[in-house]
Amino acid sequence: MMKSMHDTHNTQQPAIPGYLIFMLALTAGMAVASLYYCQPLLALLGNDFHLNSATVGTLPTLTQAGYALGLMLLIPLGDKFDRRHVILVKGLALATALAFTAVSPGLALVLVASFIVGITATMAQDVIPAAAAMTDSSQRGRVVGQVMTGLLTGILLSRVISGFIGEWFGWRSVYLAAAAAMLLVTILLWRALPRFTPASTLSVGELYRSMFSLLATHAKLQKAAVAQGLLNAAFSAFWTTLALMLYQNFHLGSSAAGLFGLAGAVGALTAPFFGKAADRFGPQRMTRIGALLTGVSFLLMLFAGSAINTTWYLPILAVLTVSFDMGVQMCLISHQTIIYNTAPHAMSRANAILLAGVFIGMTSGSLVASQLFSHWGWQAVIAFATLVSALALLLRLLPERRTMISDTVI
């Protein structure tokens, strides 16, 4: 039987096997990738169902909304129940929802299935505390960093994979392949994962109520959730409309949109270095640097808009995609460091609050960007991304308020 999180302070745990770290990183990446498969496929879906860009843009919006809801309602349950059971149930449900998306005959059913995909894709955020619980405190940062790298890589490479498969085999093939892969990895986890002792004795109702207390009494958590939500609104606005812009302005298919994920993957590969930098220079400073990098990248995209129909625009866009994604990921890892230090006895719930802010921001970014692109075009989307990035930087530059620590939230 696994030790609880409190037991690990007194008893050194055996090292987690390398193959299990790899499986957990792969699972986190595959689960979160389910949120983004649709983005390079929007033009294909629009053609298939005869929809305009504003209507088809509701697909990523609903998926992100489901994810935000799942973060708030399901992630805290990892403190209450055996994480192994939670992960396996979600894995089966996610595979089913992906398969249902693939065979749905109309947009209405695709939207329903996508909302369920969003809810169940939160298993990615159950895998990370599971990895932490299986690791001794002296090795926990390294292991969690490796799993986070898998998650971030899944976010970005999902667009490459879905764009390529979608262009050559159709958008339904993307979801069928994803469903089969998710089912396989769930079976492997059923064989490999140990059981976990729940970390909290609170009832389910008390668990949810404790999150409100946690948010109300920790100013740093409030600031982190809002600032990261703003940055991810910019992130989502860009990726939601990129495929549509490339199709309309350059007559490029979904595989071209997916290839931009390779540029963004640089940010995921550098993620472990951001954690070390936050330890060395302080997470507060790193959030300011990350927000500044994100805002400047979008501002340069805005200036480059005058060359949008020239051959120079795409390489410029690729370089700035690398820089803004690095800024967003730098802030995310630094914000996680801040909240874990702020609420060390309620890490899962604090993480759920932070990530709910992230994906509420992403949902809003997708919705706003779809409407902006439909009415005013790509430059309006980039102007929006620049604005919200600047707001995030302004928030991070504000002085820190005194935090009220409440150790009763456990």
Side-chain angles (χ1 to χ4, degrees):
M1 187 77 77
M2 292 297 302
K3 300 289 185 183
S4 71
M5 288 294 288
H6 298 293
D7 293 336
T8 59
H9 295 293
N10 301 318
T11 305
Q12 188 168 4
Q13 295 177 250
I16 180 173
Y19 77 88
L20 189 51
I21 297 175
F22 174 78
M23 283 186 56
L24 292 171
L26 179 65
T27 301
M30 288 177 56
V32 79
S34 302
L35 300 171
Y36 304 101
Y37 289 137
C38 66
Q39 290 182 354
L41 305 174
L42 292 179
L44 296 176
L45 283 158
N47 289 336
D48 195 8
F49 295 125
H50 308 291
L51 303 170
N52 60 35
S53 59
T55 303
V56 78
T58 59
L59 180 59
T61 301
L62 271 179
T63 307
Q64 300 292 349
Y67 194 81
L69 181 64
L71 286 172
M72 292 301 295
L73 296 183
L74 300 184
I75 294 302
L77 299 181
D79 285 342
K80 176 65 178 174
F81 301 104
D82 183 349
R83 284 195 180 97
R84 180 178 184 270
H85 293 161
V86 174
I87 290 170
L88 295 179
V89 169
K90 282 188 180 179
L92 292 174
L94 178 55
T96 302
L98 289 167
F100 187 71
T101 304
V103 300
S104 296
L107 181 66
L109 292 179
V110 169
L111 292 176
V112 171
S114 295
F115 184 71
I116 299 172
V117 165
I119 292 174
T120 53
T122 55
M123 73 177 293
Q125 299 300 335
D126 294 302
V127 168
I128 296 170
M134 288 188 288
T135 310
D136 185 72
S137 59
S138 63
Q139 300 292 320
R140 188 166 293 147
R142 175 183 64 85
V143 171
V144 171
Q146 289 173 325
V147 176
M148 276 297 295
T149 298
L151 184 146
L152 296 174
T153 303
I155 291 175
L156 295 162
L157 294 186
S158 61
R159 301 181 180 93
V160 180
I161 295 169
S162 66
F164 178 82
I165 296 177
E167 180 150 323
W168 288 97
F169 303 102
W171 68 267
R172 295 182 188 274
S173 298
V174 175
Y175 287 98
L176 283 175
M182 197 69 244
L183 179 60
L184 176 60
V185 78
T186 302
I187 293 172
L188 293 174
L189 286 175
W190 172 67
R191 300 281 297 177
L193 274 181
R195 297 183 182 276
F196 294 81
T197 300
S200 176
T201 58
L202 295 175
S203 69
V204 172
E206 290 170 336
L207 200 71
Y208 288 134
R209 286 194 293 272
S210 73
M211 294 179 66
F212 292 101
S213 175
L214 186 68
L215 182 61
T217 57
H218 291 75
K220 290 183 178 180
L221 177 56
Q222 299 166 12
K223 192 172 184 178
V226 174
Q228 194 64 45
L230 289 168
L231 290 168
N232 279 84
F235 179 95
S236 183
F238 176 89
W239 287 110
T240 296
T241 54
L242 175 65
L244 298 170
M245 184 277 290
L246 292 175
Y247 180 76
Q248 289 187 11
N249 289 81
F250 297 94
H251 308 290
L252 295 174
S254 59
S255 59
L259 285 174
F260 271 83
L262 291 176
V266 174
L269 296 176
T270 55
F273 300 102
F274 297 153
K276 293 179 182 179
D279 290 337
R280 181 176 179 181
F281 302 109
Q284 304 284 1
R285 179 180 296 179
M286 294 305 294
T287 59
R288 292 167 183 170
I289 294 172
L292 178 62
L293 180 59
T294 304
V296 169
S297 299
F298 282 120
L299 184 62
L300 292 175
M301 281 187 204
L302 194 61
F303 288 149
S306 59
I308 193 170
N309 291 317
T310 70
T311 56
W312 290 102
Y313 186 72
L314 291 182
I316 292 172
L317 191 63
V319 171
L320 294 175
T321 299
V322 172
S323 61
F324 95 72
D325 187 77
M326 288 179 64
V328 173
Q329 304 307 340
M330 187 187 303
C331 286
L332 175 59
I333 293 170
S334 300
H335 279 138
Q336 286 178 316
T337 302
I338 290 170
I339 66 166
Y340 291 155
N341 292 338
T342 300
H345 301 297
M347 289 186 181
S348 292
R349 280 157 282 171
N351 196 43
I353 292 170
L354 173 66
L355 292 170
V358 166
F359 285 94
I360 289 171
M362 294 190 77
T363 301
S364 303
S366 292
L367 180 61
V368 172
S370 297
Q371 296 302 317
L372 288 175
F373 187 87
S374 178
H375 291 91
W376 293 285
W378 174 251
Q379 283 292 86
V381 173
I382 300 304
F384 167 76
T386 305
L387 174 63
V388 293
S389 299
L391 290 175
L393 175 61
L394 177 62
L395 182 59
R396 289 305 334 170
L397 289 172
L398 293 176
E400 294 291 335
R401 291 193 293 118
R402 187 172 180 270
T403 299
M404 299 167 56
I405 301 296
S406 176
D407 290 331
T408 61
V409 185
I410 59 174

